[in-house]
Amino acid sequence: NAGVTQTPKFRVLKTGQSMTLLCAQDMNHEYMYWYRQDPGMGLRLIHYSVGEGTTAKGEVPDGYNVSRLKKQNFLLGLESAAPSQTSVYFCASSLTLYEQYFGPGTRLTVT
Amino acid sequence: GQQLNQSPQSMFIQEGEDVSMNCTSSSIFNTWLWYKQDPGEGPVLLIALYKAGELTSNGRLTAQFGITRKDSFLNISASIPSDVGIYFCAGRNYGGATNKLIFGTGTLLAVQP
């Protein structure tokens, strides 16, 4: 039981490039989330999903897109990366409306 | 966006000391969660609280759901070096339509052997 996994662990992009972050969970959780973590800002919700085929905007959705084609996977896309998107990205999942379990994070630098 | 007020921001203590930290909100919550984040890792859930006044322990950790529903407390007894990390509180608004958690900005704990 691996829990929540994220790939890649590290990535460096140039401004304007695109990329996709992959999150996978093997706990059969309905709910999945993408957060970004910046110094002094805590964790901020980007997008979330309440089930396969559904997505919704969180607190800071601009510049990101997501897809949940399979229950176990939640993809986060950056169409045209900007330096302001340099951050650590965390995926989380939950079975109920309460306890969220986090992945190890992806460290993204945009130059 | 809304954030929780978490204090203290940082603590530097000696091994064996007890630690207390708290989180306050301007709105009522129906769930409080406490997480620990080690350097380079994702947050790990420590304790979940669901009822006002609830007191829950996990080993040397004890957390309480404040009776006003606007605060929560985490205590660590007899600290050890592996307690080092950032501790986050998180809460869910009462009556919230989504599963959105609001996170505190964290308490950095350093333990000197």
Side-chain angles (χ1 to χ4, degrees), chain A residues 33 37 41 48 59 90 94 97-100 103 107, chain B residues 1 3 31 35 37 40 42-43 50 88 92 98-99:
Chain A
Y33 317 83
Q37 186 177 40
M41 299 294 291
Y48 64 98
E59 181 183 355
F90 288 102
S94 65
L97 289 175
Y98 304 108
E99 302 166 18
Q100 295 183 14
R107 281 150 185 78
Chain B
Q3 284 187 330
T31 304
Y35 288 87
Q37 185 175 21
Y50 301 106
F88 290 99
R92 181 170 178 266
T98 69
N99 193 19

mmCIF file with all atom_site columns, all heavy atoms in Angstrom, chain A residues 33 37 41 48 59 90 94 97-100 103 107, chain B residues 1 3 31 35 37 40 42-43 50 88 92 98-99:
data_model
loop_
_atom_site.group_PDB
_atom_site.id
_atom_site.type_symbol
_atom_site.label_atom_id
_atom_site.label_alt_id
_atom_site.label_comp_id
_atom_site.label_asym_id
_atom_site.label_entity_id
_atom_site.label_seq_id
_atom_site.pdbx_PDB_ins_code
_atom_site.Cartn_x
_atom_site.Cartn_y
_atom_site.Cartn_z
_atom_site.occupancy
_atom_site.B_iso_or_equiv
_atom_site.pdbx_formal_charge
_atom_site.auth_seq_id
_atom_site.auth_comp_id
_atom_site.auth_asym_id
_atom_site.auth_atom_id
_atom_site.pdbx_PDB_model_num
ATOM 1   N N   . TYR A 1 33  ? -6.936  16.212 -4.284 1.00 0.00 ? 33  TYR A N   1
ATOM 2   C CA  . TYR A 1 33  ? -6.665  17.653 -4.194 1.00 0.00 ? 33  TYR A CA  1
ATOM 3   C C   . TYR A 1 33  ? -5.258  17.959 -4.691 1.00 0.00 ? 33  TYR A C   1
ATOM 4   O O   . TYR A 1 33  ? -4.358  17.131 -4.552 1.00 0.00 ? 33  TYR A O   1
ATOM 5   C CB  . TYR A 1 33  ? -6.745  18.128 -2.731 1.00 0.00 ? 33  TYR A CB  1
ATOM 6   C CG  . TYR A 1 33  ? -7.898  17.577 -1.946 1.00 0.00 ? 33  TYR A CG  1
ATOM 7   C CD1 . TYR A 1 33  ? -7.816  16.312 -1.355 1.00 0.00 ? 33  TYR A CD1 1
ATOM 8   C CD2 . TYR A 1 33  ? -9.072  18.304 -1.778 1.00 0.00 ? 33  TYR A CD2 1
ATOM 9   C CE1 . TYR A 1 33  ? -8.875  15.786 -0.636 1.00 0.00 ? 33  TYR A CE1 1
ATOM 10  C CE2 . TYR A 1 33  ? -10.133 17.786 -1.051 1.00 0.00 ? 33  TYR A CE2 1
ATOM 11  C CZ  . TYR A 1 33  ? -10.025 16.532 -0.489 1.00 0.00 ? 33  TYR A CZ  1
ATOM 12  O OH  . TYR A 1 33  ? -11.069 16.014 0.228  1.00 0.00 ? 33  TYR A OH  1
ATOM 13  N N   . GLN A 1 37  ? 2.608   24.958 -1.908 1.00 0.00 ? 37  GLN A N   1
ATOM 14  C CA  . GLN A 1 37  ? 3.131   25.429 -0.628 1.00 0.00 ? 37  GLN A CA  1
ATOM 15  C C   . GLN A 1 37  ? 4.253   26.399 -0.880 1.00 0.00 ? 37  GLN A C   1
ATOM 16  O O   . GLN A 1 37  ? 5.252   26.051 -1.516 1.00 0.00 ? 37  GLN A O   1
ATOM 17  C CB  . GLN A 1 37  ? 3.632   24.254 0.232  1.00 0.00 ? 37  GLN A CB  1
ATOM 18  C CG  . GLN A 1 37  ? 4.064   24.661 1.623  1.00 0.00 ? 37  GLN A CG  1
ATOM 19  C CD  . GLN A 1 37  ? 4.493   23.481 2.463  1.00 0.00 ? 37  GLN A CD  1
ATOM 20  O OE1 . GLN A 1 37  ? 5.157   22.570 1.987  1.00 0.00 ? 37  GLN A OE1 1
ATOM 21  N NE2 . GLN A 1 37  ? 4.095   23.481 3.732  1.00 0.00 ? 37  GLN A NE2 1
ATOM 22  N N   . MET A 1 41  ? 3.179   31.142 3.357  1.00 0.00 ? 41  MET A N   1
ATOM 23  C CA  . MET A 1 41  ? 1.807   31.155 2.826  1.00 0.00 ? 41  MET A CA  1
ATOM 24  C C   . MET A 1 41  ? 1.025   29.911 3.209  1.00 0.00 ? 41  MET A C   1
ATOM 25  O O   . MET A 1 41  ? -0.156  29.815 2.962  1.00 0.00 ? 41  MET A O   1
ATOM 26  C CB  . MET A 1 41  ? 1.845   31.261 1.300  1.00 0.00 ? 41  MET A CB  1
ATOM 27  C CG  . MET A 1 41  ? 2.508   32.513 0.786  1.00 0.00 ? 41  MET A CG  1
ATOM 28  S SD  . MET A 1 41  ? 1.575   33.978 1.205  1.00 0.00 ? 41  MET A SD  1
ATOM 29  C CE  . MET A 1 41  ? 0.122   33.773 0.184  1.00 0.00 ? 41  MET A CE  1
ATOM 30  N N   . TYR A 1 48  ? -9.547  20.665 -6.937 1.00 0.00 ? 48  TYR A N   1
ATOM 31  C CA  . TYR A 1 48  ? -9.871  19.428 -6.261 1.00 0.00 ? 48  TYR A CA  1
ATOM 32  C C   . TYR A 1 48  ? -10.897 18.643 -7.072 1.00 0.00 ? 48  TYR A C   1
ATOM 33  O O   . TYR A 1 48  ? -11.472 19.166 -8.038 1.00 0.00 ? 48  TYR A O   1
ATOM 34  C CB  . TYR A 1 48  ? -10.378 19.680 -4.840 1.00 0.00 ? 48  TYR A CB  1
ATOM 35  C CG  . TYR A 1 48  ? -11.679 20.438 -4.747 1.00 0.00 ? 48  TYR A CG  1
ATOM 36  C CD1 . TYR A 1 48  ? -12.885 19.771 -4.571 1.00 0.00 ? 48  TYR A CD1 1
ATOM 37  C CD2 . TYR A 1 48  ? -11.708 21.837 -4.806 1.00 0.00 ? 48  TYR A CD2 1
ATOM 38  C CE1 . TYR A 1 48  ? -14.082 20.468 -4.483 1.00 0.00 ? 48  TYR A CE1 1
ATOM 39  C CE2 . TYR A 1 48  ? -12.887 22.524 -4.723 1.00 0.00 ? 48  TYR A CE2 1
ATOM 40  C CZ  . TYR A 1 48  ? -14.072 21.854 -4.555 1.00 0.00 ? 48  TYR A CZ  1
ATOM 41  O OH  . TYR A 1 48  ? -15.251 22.547 -4.476 1.00 0.00 ? 48  TYR A OH  1
ATOM 42  N N   . GLU A 1 59  ? -8.646  27.671 -4.291 1.00 0.00 ? 59  GLU A N   1
ATOM 43  C CA  . GLU A 1 59  ? -8.338  29.052 -3.913 1.00 0.00 ? 59  GLU A CA  1
ATOM 44  C C   . GLU A 1 59  ? -7.484  29.772 -4.944 1.00 0.00 ? 59  GLU A C   1
ATOM 45  O O   . GLU A 1 59  ? -7.658  30.973 -5.184 1.00 0.00 ? 59  GLU A O   1
ATOM 46  C CB  . GLU A 1 59  ? -7.604  29.018 -2.567 1.00 0.00 ? 59  GLU A CB  1
ATOM 47  C CG  . GLU A 1 59  ? -7.218  30.349 -1.980 1.00 0.00 ? 59  GLU A CG  1
ATOM 48  C CD  . GLU A 1 59  ? -6.429  30.161 -0.693 1.00 0.00 ? 59  GLU A CD  1
ATOM 49  O OE1 . GLU A 1 59  ? -6.273  29.010 -0.231 1.00 0.00 ? 59  GLU A OE1 1
ATOM 50  O OE2 . GLU A 1 59  ? -5.946  31.182 -0.146 1.00 0.00 ? 59  GLU A OE2 1
ATOM 51  N N   . PHE A 1 90  ? 1.770   19.696 -3.700 1.00 0.00 ? 90  PHE A N   1
ATOM 52  C CA  . PHE A 1 90  ? 1.365   18.499 -2.983 1.00 0.00 ? 90  PHE A CA  1
ATOM 53  C C   . PHE A 1 90  ? 0.006   18.037 -3.468 1.00 0.00 ? 90  PHE A C   1
ATOM 54  O O   . PHE A 1 90  ? -0.915  18.837 -3.645 1.00 0.00 ? 90  PHE A O   1
ATOM 55  C CB  . PHE A 1 90  ? 1.286   18.757 -1.472 1.00 0.00 ? 90  PHE A CB  1
ATOM 56  C CG  . PHE A 1 90  ? 2.619   18.915 -0.824 1.00 0.00 ? 90  PHE A CG  1
ATOM 57  C CD1 . PHE A 1 90  ? 3.102   20.174 -0.503 1.00 0.00 ? 90  PHE A CD1 1
ATOM 58  C CD2 . PHE A 1 90  ? 3.393   17.805 -0.522 1.00 0.00 ? 90  PHE A CD2 1
ATOM 59  C CE1 . PHE A 1 90  ? 4.340   20.331 0.102  1.00 0.00 ? 90  PHE A CE1 1
ATOM 60  C CE2 . PHE A 1 90  ? 4.628   17.947 0.082  1.00 0.00 ? 90  PHE A CE2 1
ATOM 61  C CZ  . PHE A 1 90  ? 5.102   19.209 0.398  1.00 0.00 ? 90  PHE A CZ  1
ATOM 62  N N   . SER A 1 94  ? -8.644  11.866 0.101  1.00 0.00 ? 94  SER A N   1
ATOM 63  C CA  . SER A 1 94  ? -9.404  11.549 1.305  1.00 0.00 ? 94  SER A CA  1
ATOM 64  C C   . SER A 1 94  ? -10.588 10.673 0.963  1.00 0.00 ? 94  SER A C   1
ATOM 65  O O   . SER A 1 94  ? -11.164 10.774 -0.124 1.00 0.00 ? 94  SER A O   1
ATOM 66  C CB  . SER A 1 94  ? -9.873  12.823 2.022  1.00 0.00 ? 94  SER A CB  1
ATOM 67  O OG  . SER A 1 94  ? -10.794 13.538 1.235  1.00 0.00 ? 94  SER A OG  1
ATOM 68  N N   . LEU A 1 97  ? -15.100 13.486 4.013  1.00 0.00 ? 97  LEU A N   1
ATOM 69  C CA  . LEU A 1 97  ? -14.962 14.935 3.909  1.00 0.00 ? 97  LEU A CA  1
ATOM 70  C C   . LEU A 1 97  ? -13.939 15.495 4.886  1.00 0.00 ? 97  LEU A C   1
ATOM 71  O O   . LEU A 1 97  ? -13.836 16.699 5.018  1.00 0.00 ? 97  LEU A O   1
ATOM 72  C CB  . LEU A 1 97  ? -16.317 15.600 4.153  1.00 0.00 ? 97  LEU A CB  1
ATOM 73  C CG  . LEU A 1 97  ? -17.357 15.416 3.053  1.00 0.00 ? 97  LEU A CG  1
ATOM 74  C CD1 . LEU A 1 97  ? -18.683 16.018 3.492  1.00 0.00 ? 97  LEU A CD1 1
ATOM 75  C CD2 . LEU A 1 97  ? -16.915 16.051 1.757  1.00 0.00 ? 97  LEU A CD2 1
ATOM 76  N N   . TYR A 1 98  ? -13.199 14.658 5.551  1.00 0.00 ? 98  TYR A N   1
ATOM 77  C CA  . TYR A 1 98  ? -12.373 15.161 6.633  1.00 0.00 ? 98  TYR A CA  1
ATOM 78  C C   . TYR A 1 98  ? -10.888 14.915 6.434  1.00 0.00 ? 98  TYR A C   1
ATOM 79  O O   . TYR A 1 98  ? -10.183 15.778 5.949  1.00 0.00 ? 98  TYR A O   1
ATOM 80  C CB  . TYR A 1 98  ? -12.864 14.555 7.950  1.00 0.00 ? 98  TYR A CB  1
ATOM 81  C CG  . TYR A 1 98  ? -14.326 14.848 8.182  1.00 0.00 ? 98  TYR A CG  1
ATOM 82  C CD1 . TYR A 1 98  ? -15.291 13.851 8.060  1.00 0.00 ? 98  TYR A CD1 1
ATOM 83  C CD2 . TYR A 1 98  ? -14.755 16.138 8.478  1.00 0.00 ? 98  TYR A CD2 1
ATOM 84  C CE1 . TYR A 1 98  ? -16.637 14.140 8.254  1.00 0.00 ? 98  TYR A CE1 1
ATOM 85  C CE2 . TYR A 1 98  ? -16.096 16.420 8.663  1.00 0.00 ? 98  TYR A CE2 1
ATOM 86  C CZ  . TYR A 1 98  ? -17.030 15.428 8.554  1.00 0.00 ? 98  TYR A CZ  1
ATOM 87  O OH  . TYR A 1 98  ? -18.348 15.712 8.721  1.00 0.00 ? 98  TYR A OH  1
ATOM 88  N N   . GLU A 1 99  ? -10.392 13.756 6.762  1.00 0.00 ? 99  GLU A N   1
ATOM 89  C CA  . GLU A 1 99  ? -8.952  13.526 6.826  1.00 0.00 ? 99  GLU A CA  1
ATOM 90  C C   . GLU A 1 99  ? -8.332  13.395 5.445  1.00 0.00 ? 99  GLU A C   1
ATOM 91  O O   . GLU A 1 99  ? -8.693  12.519 4.664  1.00 0.00 ? 99  GLU A O   1
ATOM 92  C CB  . GLU A 1 99  ? -8.684  12.269 7.646  1.00 0.00 ? 99  GLU A CB  1
ATOM 93  C CG  . GLU A 1 99  ? -9.248  12.346 9.047  1.00 0.00 ? 99  GLU A CG  1
ATOM 94  C CD  . GLU A 1 99  ? -9.270  11.001 9.731  1.00 0.00 ? 99  GLU A CD  1
ATOM 95  O OE1 . GLU A 1 99  ? -8.561  10.093 9.268  1.00 0.00 ? 99  GLU A OE1 1
ATOM 96  O OE2 . GLU A 1 99  ? -10.005 10.851 10.718 1.00 0.00 ? 99  GLU A OE2 1
ATOM 97  N N   . GLN A 1 100 ? -7.369  14.282 5.166  1.00 0.00 ? 100 GLN A N   1
ATOM 98  C CA  . GLN A 1 100 ? -6.653  14.241 3.890  1.00 0.00 ? 100 GLN A CA  1
ATOM 99  C C   . GLN A 1 100 ? -5.259  13.677 4.105  1.00 0.00 ? 100 GLN A C   1
ATOM 100 O O   . GLN A 1 100 ? -4.592  14.012 5.079  1.00 0.00 ? 100 GLN A O   1
ATOM 101 C CB  . GLN A 1 100 ? -6.563  15.642 3.285  1.00 0.00 ? 100 GLN A CB  1
ATOM 102 C CG  . GLN A 1 100 ? -7.931  16.212 2.910  1.00 0.00 ? 100 GLN A CG  1
ATOM 103 C CD  . GLN A 1 100 ? -7.839  17.561 2.239  1.00 0.00 ? 100 GLN A CD  1
ATOM 104 O OE1 . GLN A 1 100 ? -6.772  17.988 1.800  1.00 0.00 ? 100 GLN A OE1 1
ATOM 105 N NE2 . GLN A 1 100 ? -8.968  18.244 2.136  1.00 0.00 ? 100 GLN A NE2 1
ATOM 106 N N   . GLY A 1 103 ? 0.805   13.352 -0.476 1.00 0.00 ? 103 GLY A N   1
ATOM 107 C CA  . GLY A 1 103 ? 1.945   12.752 -1.136 1.00 0.00 ? 103 GLY A CA  1
ATOM 108 C C   . GLY A 1 103 ? 3.228   13.448 -0.733 1.00 0.00 ? 103 GLY A C   1
ATOM 109 O O   . GLY A 1 103 ? 3.209   14.397 0.056  1.00 0.00 ? 103 GLY A O   1
ATOM 110 N N   . ARG A 1 107 ? 8.862   19.413 -6.366 1.00 0.00 ? 107 ARG A N   1
ATOM 111 C CA  . ARG A 1 107 ? 9.498   20.726 -6.296 1.00 0.00 ? 107 ARG A CA  1
ATOM 112 C C   . ARG A 1 107 ? 9.730   21.251 -7.701 1.00 0.00 ? 107 ARG A C   1
ATOM 113 O O   . ARG A 1 107 ? 10.500  20.666 -8.456 1.00 0.00 ? 107 ARG A O   1
ATOM 114 C CB  . ARG A 1 107 ? 10.811  20.617 -5.519 1.00 0.00 ? 107 ARG A CB  1
ATOM 115 C CG  . ARG A 1 107 ? 10.579  20.567 -4.039 1.00 0.00 ? 107 ARG A CG  1
ATOM 116 C CD  . ARG A 1 107 ? 11.604  19.793 -3.264 1.00 0.00 ? 107 ARG A CD  1
ATOM 117 N NE  . ARG A 1 107 ? 11.209  19.705 -1.860 1.00 0.00 ? 107 ARG A NE  1
ATOM 118 C CZ  . ARG A 1 107 ? 10.282  18.878 -1.395 1.00 0.00 ? 107 ARG A CZ  1
ATOM 119 N NH1 . ARG A 1 107 ? 9.670   18.059 -2.197 1.00 0.00 ? 107 ARG A NH1 1
ATOM 120 N NH2 . ARG A 1 107 ? 9.983   18.892 -0.105 1.00 0.00 ? 107 ARG A NH2 1
ATOM 121 N N   . GLY B 2 1   ? -6.540  34.306 0.605  1.00 0.00 ? 1   GLY B N   1
ATOM 122 C CA  . GLY B 2 1   ? -7.503  33.390 1.156  1.00 0.00 ? 1   GLY B CA  1
ATOM 123 C C   . GLY B 2 1   ? -7.436  33.325 2.674  1.00 0.00 ? 1   GLY B C   1
ATOM 124 O O   . GLY B 2 1   ? -6.489  33.809 3.289  1.00 0.00 ? 1   GLY B O   1
ATOM 125 N N   . GLN B 2 3   ? -6.767  32.127 6.315  1.00 0.00 ? 3   GLN B N   1
ATOM 126 C CA  . GLN B 2 3   ? -5.795  31.282 6.978  1.00 0.00 ? 3   GLN B CA  1
ATOM 127 C C   . GLN B 2 3   ? -6.063  31.291 8.466  1.00 0.00 ? 3   GLN B C   1
ATOM 128 O O   . GLN B 2 3   ? -6.675  32.209 8.997  1.00 0.00 ? 3   GLN B O   1
ATOM 129 C CB  . GLN B 2 3   ? -4.373  31.770 6.710  1.00 0.00 ? 3   GLN B CB  1
ATOM 130 C CG  . GLN B 2 3   ? -3.860  31.427 5.321  1.00 0.00 ? 3   GLN B CG  1
ATOM 131 C CD  . GLN B 2 3   ? -2.411  31.766 5.136  1.00 0.00 ? 3   GLN B CD  1
ATOM 132 O OE1 . GLN B 2 3   ? -1.914  32.696 5.736  1.00 0.00 ? 3   GLN B OE1 1
ATOM 133 N NE2 . GLN B 2 3   ? -1.726  31.020 4.286  1.00 0.00 ? 3   GLN B NE2 1
ATOM 134 N N   . THR B 2 31  ? -14.307 20.510 12.249 1.00 0.00 ? 31  THR B N   1
ATOM 135 C CA  . THR B 2 31  ? -13.213 19.541 12.215 1.00 0.00 ? 31  THR B CA  1
ATOM 136 C C   . THR B 2 31  ? -11.891 20.264 12.393 1.00 0.00 ? 31  THR B C   1
ATOM 137 O O   . THR B 2 31  ? -11.684 21.316 11.785 1.00 0.00 ? 31  THR B O   1
ATOM 138 C CB  . THR B 2 31  ? -13.171 18.792 10.863 1.00 0.00 ? 31  THR B CB  1
ATOM 139 O OG1 . THR B 2 31  ? -14.413 18.161 10.610 1.00 0.00 ? 31  THR B OG1 1
ATOM 140 C CG2 . THR B 2 31  ? -12.055 17.752 10.854 1.00 0.00 ? 31  THR B CG2 1
ATOM 141 N N   . TYR B 2 35  ? -1.191  18.184 11.524 1.00 0.00 ? 35  TYR B N   1
ATOM 142 C CA  . TYR B 2 35  ? -0.238  17.517 10.658 1.00 0.00 ? 35  TYR B CA  1
ATOM 143 C C   . TYR B 2 35  ? 1.182   17.862 11.082 1.00 0.00 ? 35  TYR B C   1
ATOM 144 O O   . TYR B 2 35  ? 1.439   18.930 11.627 1.00 0.00 ? 35  TYR B O   1
ATOM 145 C CB  . TYR B 2 35  ? -0.405  17.982 9.197  1.00 0.00 ? 35  TYR B CB  1
ATOM 146 C CG  . TYR B 2 35  ? -1.635  17.491 8.495  1.00 0.00 ? 35  TYR B CG  1
ATOM 147 C CD1 . TYR B 2 35  ? -2.841  18.178 8.582  1.00 0.00 ? 35  TYR B CD1 1
ATOM 148 C CD2 . TYR B 2 35  ? -1.592  16.341 7.707  1.00 0.00 ? 35  TYR B CD2 1
ATOM 149 C CE1 . TYR B 2 35  ? -3.973  17.734 7.913  1.00 0.00 ? 35  TYR B CE1 1
ATOM 150 C CE2 . TYR B 2 35  ? -2.716  15.893 7.031  1.00 0.00 ? 35  TYR B CE2 1
ATOM 151 C CZ  . TYR B 2 35  ? -3.900  16.592 7.139  1.00 0.00 ? 35  TYR B CZ  1
ATOM 152 O OH  . TYR B 2 35  ? -5.016  16.144 6.470  1.00 0.00 ? 35  TYR B OH  1
ATOM 153 N N   . GLN B 2 37  ? 5.108   18.020 9.223  1.00 0.00 ? 37  GLN B N   1
ATOM 154 C CA  . GLN B 2 37  ? 5.839   17.946 7.973  1.00 0.00 ? 37  GLN B CA  1
ATOM 155 C C   . GLN B 2 37  ? 7.333   17.920 8.251  1.00 0.00 ? 37  GLN B C   1
ATOM 156 O O   . GLN B 2 37  ? 7.871   18.863 8.839  1.00 0.00 ? 37  GLN B O   1
ATOM 157 C CB  . GLN B 2 37  ? 5.485   19.127 7.064  1.00 0.00 ? 37  GLN B CB  1
ATOM 158 C CG  . GLN B 2 37  ? 6.112   19.049 5.687  1.00 0.00 ? 37  GLN B CG  1
ATOM 159 C CD  . GLN B 2 37  ? 5.654   20.168 4.770  1.00 0.00 ? 37  GLN B CD  1
ATOM 160 O OE1 . GLN B 2 37  ? 5.184   21.205 5.206  1.00 0.00 ? 37  GLN B OE1 1
ATOM 161 N NE2 . GLN B 2 37  ? 5.779   19.963 3.466  1.00 0.00 ? 37  GLN B NE2 1
ATOM 162 N N   . GLY B 2 40  ? 11.453  18.294 3.314  1.00 0.00 ? 40  GLY B N   1
ATOM 163 C CA  . GLY B 2 40  ? 11.458  17.580 2.045  1.00 0.00 ? 40  GLY B CA  1
ATOM 164 C C   . GLY B 2 40  ? 10.369  16.540 1.895  1.00 0.00 ? 40  GLY B C   1
ATOM 165 O O   . GLY B 2 40  ? 10.379  15.772 0.919  1.00 0.00 ? 40  GLY B O   1
ATOM 166 N N   . GLY B 2 42  ? 5.961   15.380 2.558  1.00 0.00 ? 42  GLY B N   1
ATOM 167 C CA  . GLY B 2 42  ? 4.609   15.906 2.636  1.00 0.00 ? 42  GLY B CA  1
ATOM 168 C C   . GLY B 2 42  ? 4.087   15.857 4.054  1.00 0.00 ? 42  GLY B C   1
ATOM 169 O O   . GLY B 2 42  ? 4.616   15.132 4.900  1.00 0.00 ? 42  GLY B O   1
ATOM 170 N N   . PRO B 2 43  ? 3.042   16.637 4.362  1.00 0.00 ? 43  PRO B N   1
ATOM 171 C CA  . PRO B 2 43  ? 2.448   16.610 5.698  1.00 0.00 ? 43  PRO B CA  1
ATOM 172 C C   . PRO B 2 43  ? 1.878   15.229 6.021  1.00 0.00 ? 43  PRO B C   1
ATOM 173 O O   . PRO B 2 43  ? 1.287   14.575 5.168  1.00 0.00 ? 43  PRO B O   1
ATOM 174 C CB  . PRO B 2 43  ? 1.334   17.657 5.608  1.00 0.00 ? 43  PRO B CB  1
ATOM 175 C CG  . PRO B 2 43  ? 1.716   18.539 4.457  1.00 0.00 ? 43  PRO B CG  1
ATOM 176 C CD  . PRO B 2 43  ? 2.407   17.648 3.495  1.00 0.00 ? 43  PRO B CD  1
ATOM 177 N N   . TYR B 2 50  ? -13.227 15.930 16.035 1.00 0.00 ? 50  TYR B N   1
ATOM 178 C CA  . TYR B 2 50  ? -14.520 16.140 15.391 1.00 0.00 ? 50  TYR B CA  1
ATOM 179 C C   . TYR B 2 50  ? -15.586 16.756 16.287 1.00 0.00 ? 50  TYR B C   1
ATOM 180 O O   . TYR B 2 50  ? -16.661 17.128 15.802 1.00 0.00 ? 50  TYR B O   1
ATOM 181 C CB  . TYR B 2 50  ? -15.053 14.819 14.842 1.00 0.00 ? 50  TYR B CB  1
ATOM 182 C CG  . TYR B 2 50  ? -14.143 14.177 13.834 1.00 0.00 ? 50  TYR B CG  1
ATOM 183 C CD1 . TYR B 2 50  ? -13.382 13.062 14.170 1.00 0.00 ? 50  TYR B CD1 1
ATOM 184 C CD2 . TYR B 2 50  ? -14.028 14.692 12.551 1.00 0.00 ? 50  TYR B CD2 1
ATOM 185 C CE1 . TYR B 2 50  ? -12.538 12.482 13.239 1.00 0.00 ? 50  TYR B CE1 1
ATOM 186 C CE2 . TYR B 2 50  ? -13.192 14.117 11.620 1.00 0.00 ? 50  TYR B CE2 1
ATOM 187 C CZ  . TYR B 2 50  ? -12.449 13.013 11.972 1.00 0.00 ? 50  TYR B CZ  1
ATOM 188 O OH  . TYR B 2 50  ? -11.614 12.442 11.045 1.00 0.00 ? 50  TYR B OH  1
ATOM 189 N N   . PHE B 2 88  ? 1.392   21.735 11.393 1.00 0.00 ? 88  PHE B N   1
ATOM 190 C CA  . PHE B 2 88  ? 0.307   22.522 10.819 1.00 0.00 ? 88  PHE B CA  1
ATOM 191 C C   . PHE B 2 88  ? -1.022  22.122 11.440 1.00 0.00 ? 88  PHE B C   1
ATOM 192 O O   . PHE B 2 88  ? -1.302  20.931 11.616 1.00 0.00 ? 88  PHE B O   1
ATOM 193 C CB  . PHE B 2 88  ? 0.186   22.275 9.311  1.00 0.00 ? 88  PHE B CB  1
ATOM 194 C CG  . PHE B 2 88  ? 1.301   22.829 8.493  1.00 0.00 ? 88  PHE B CG  1
ATOM 195 C CD1 . PHE B 2 88  ? 2.346   22.024 8.073  1.00 0.00 ? 88  PHE B CD1 1
ATOM 196 C CD2 . PHE B 2 88  ? 1.300   24.164 8.104  1.00 0.00 ? 88  PHE B CD2 1
ATOM 197 C CE1 . PHE B 2 88  ? 3.375   22.526 7.311  1.00 0.00 ? 88  PHE B CE1 1
ATOM 198 C CE2 . PHE B 2 88  ? 2.331   24.679 7.338  1.00 0.00 ? 88  PHE B CE2 1
ATOM 199 C CZ  . PHE B 2 88  ? 3.375   23.856 6.942  1.00 0.00 ? 88  PHE B CZ  1
ATOM 200 N N   . ARG B 2 92  ? -11.932 22.698 9.051  1.00 0.00 ? 92  ARG B N   1
ATOM 201 C CA  . ARG B 2 92  ? -12.975 22.740 8.030  1.00 0.00 ? 92  ARG B CA  1
ATOM 202 C C   . ARG B 2 92  ? -14.141 23.539 8.583  1.00 0.00 ? 92  ARG B C   1
ATOM 203 O O   . ARG B 2 92  ? -14.614 23.282 9.687  1.00 0.00 ? 92  ARG B O   1
ATOM 204 C CB  . ARG B 2 92  ? -13.428 21.333 7.655  1.00 0.00 ? 92  ARG B CB  1
ATOM 205 C CG  . ARG B 2 92  ? -14.508 21.308 6.575  1.00 0.00 ? 92  ARG B CG  1
ATOM 206 C CD  . ARG B 2 92  ? -14.748 19.907 6.071  1.00 0.00 ? 92  ARG B CD  1
ATOM 207 N NE  . ARG B 2 92  ? -15.803 19.897 5.077  1.00 0.00 ? 92  ARG B NE  1
ATOM 208 C CZ  . ARG B 2 92  ? -17.086 19.663 5.358  1.00 0.00 ? 92  ARG B CZ  1
ATOM 209 N NH1 . ARG B 2 92  ? -17.468 19.397 6.584  1.00 0.00 ? 92  ARG B NH1 1
ATOM 210 N NH2 . ARG B 2 92  ? -17.983 19.668 4.389  1.00 0.00 ? 92  ARG B NH2 1
ATOM 211 N N   . THR B 2 98  ? -18.006 22.133 0.542  1.00 0.00 ? 98  THR B N   1
ATOM 212 C CA  . THR B 2 98  ? -16.972 21.309 -0.068 1.00 0.00 ? 98  THR B CA  1
ATOM 213 C C   . THR B 2 98  ? -16.090 20.727 1.018  1.00 0.00 ? 98  THR B C   1
ATOM 214 O O   . THR B 2 98  ? -16.304 20.959 2.207  1.00 0.00 ? 98  THR B O   1
ATOM 215 C CB  . THR B 2 98  ? -16.097 22.127 -1.026 1.00 0.00 ? 98  THR B CB  1
ATOM 216 O OG1 . THR B 2 98  ? -15.316 23.043 -0.251 1.00 0.00 ? 98  THR B OG1 1
ATOM 217 C CG2 . THR B 2 98  ? -16.950 22.886 -2.013 1.00 0.00 ? 98  THR B CG2 1
ATOM 218 N N   . ASN B 2 99  ? -15.108 20.004 0.612  1.00 0.00 ? 99  ASN B N   1
ATOM 219 C CA  . ASN B 2 99  ? -14.179 19.409 1.560  1.00 0.00 ? 99  ASN B CA  1
ATOM 220 C C   . ASN B 2 99  ? -12.960 20.298 1.746  1.00 0.00 ? 99  ASN B C   1
ATOM 221 O O   . ASN B 2 99  ? -11.876 19.823 2.011  1.00 0.00 ? 99  ASN B O   1
ATOM 222 C CB  . ASN B 2 99  ? -13.742 18.045 1.073  1.00 0.00 ? 99  ASN B CB  1
ATOM 223 C CG  . ASN B 2 99  ? -13.025 17.270 2.162  1.00 0.00 ? 99  ASN B CG  1
ATOM 224 O OD1 . ASN B 2 99  ? -13.144 17.584 3.327  1.00 0.00 ? 99  ASN B OD1 1
ATOM 225 N ND2 . ASN B 2 99  ? -12.277 16.272 1.776  1.00 0.00 ? 99  ASN B ND2 1
#
